Amino acid sequence: MFPSDMVLGIFLTSEFCIGFIGNSLFFLYYVYIFLDKHYLKKSTDAIVMHLTIVNTLTIVFLLIPDIASSFGVRRLLNDAGCKAVLYIHRVTRGLSICTTSFLSTFQAITISPSNSKWAWLKPKLSTWIFPSFFLFLVINMLIYIHLIHTVIARNNDSHAVRGYIHAFCKNIEFRVDSWQFFFVLLTRDLFFVVLMMSTSLYMVNLLFRHHRRTQHVHSQSLSSQPSPETKATHSILLLVICFVFFYWLSNIVTIYRFYTSEKILRLEGVNAILSSCYPAMCPFILMRNKKIILKFSASNANLTFVEGSSVSGNSPHLRLYCSSSGAWRLAGTQPLAVL
């Protein structure tokens, strides 16, 4: 085993421990809320719990084979093992894309004003959560059936082959229907990533405009500090930027590895690190946001900010409420989906 393999193995193991422990603790936190702290439950809890489970499975089925390979294991999976591991990994990775986009859309609709064009969707949101989970699962399971028919265990043969190759697995051959498979993947990715970015930008714009309208009612002691709206905006931006950056960077490396004839197995480990960065970092980004909101709400429980702008006609005054549960809401809307 080369020293570079050892270093790569240490990086992979560290990322596995960080991601697995972070997601597990975050999931246990929500279980605790569900069982003992019912007053802290929010509408997005089910979505975040689902995302946490999906991220944990992605980390497990992505990193464990690469960790074993980097520490010198050469024969770990047979044909059935390759099909199962790669299929589960790809399905959970697809579910992570869909769930993150769904979470962003859910939040955007929830915090939209009562007079917006999305207001009619708010009463139906909670009824769409579990049907959406089932739909995402079916879509991704159908998409990746292609892998079951094309992936086998890799023997000690030459690496000079076009197509997918893993530490323990490879594709049988580059078939004509592989182009159809890539087209479906690209369509899914573009749809959910564009939806995620659009709804996130909408939330950023909404919170920024509301912050500007209510800025003058903050006391002088608070005006010098970032407002809760600004901090929530930063967390939303950070989550989306993190996802988009690592997801497309991983895709670029994957495409390069697929089309190059001379395979570099260490590049698979590098790609595994990139692919697992988002699921490993996701719980810590969400914990950071929750820590900020809960800390602020604890010191400002039941504080109400009222917009004092002059309004004529039927336009209602805009109010921002903060309760002890840490949920922010605008007057006439449901609580903001603060994670």
Side-chain angles (χ1 to χ4, degrees), residues 102 124-138:
F102 181 59
K124 304 178 182 180
L125 280 179
S126 59
T127 62
W128 290 353
I129 294 178
F130 291 101
S132 297
F133 292 165
F134 179 75
L135 178 63
F136 296 154
L137 179 62
V138 171

Side-chain angles (χ1 to χ4, degrees), residues 16-61:
F16 174 83
C17 294
I18 293 172
F20 185 83
I21 293 174
N23 281 283
S24 299
L25 291 177
F26 202 50
F27 178 77
L28 291 177
Y29 167 79
Y30 275 99
V31 172
Y32 169 71
I33 295 296
F34 179 79
L35 296 178
D36 193 56
K37 302 291 183 181
H38 300 283
Y39 59 90
L40 291 178
K41 291 172 60 177
K42 295 183 289 294
S43 56
T44 55
D45 287 355
I47 305 176
V48 176
M49 289 180 70
H50 182 263
L51 180 61
T52 303
I53 295 172
V54 166
N55 285 340
T56 303
L57 292 175
T58 301
I59 291 172
V60 170
F61 286 95

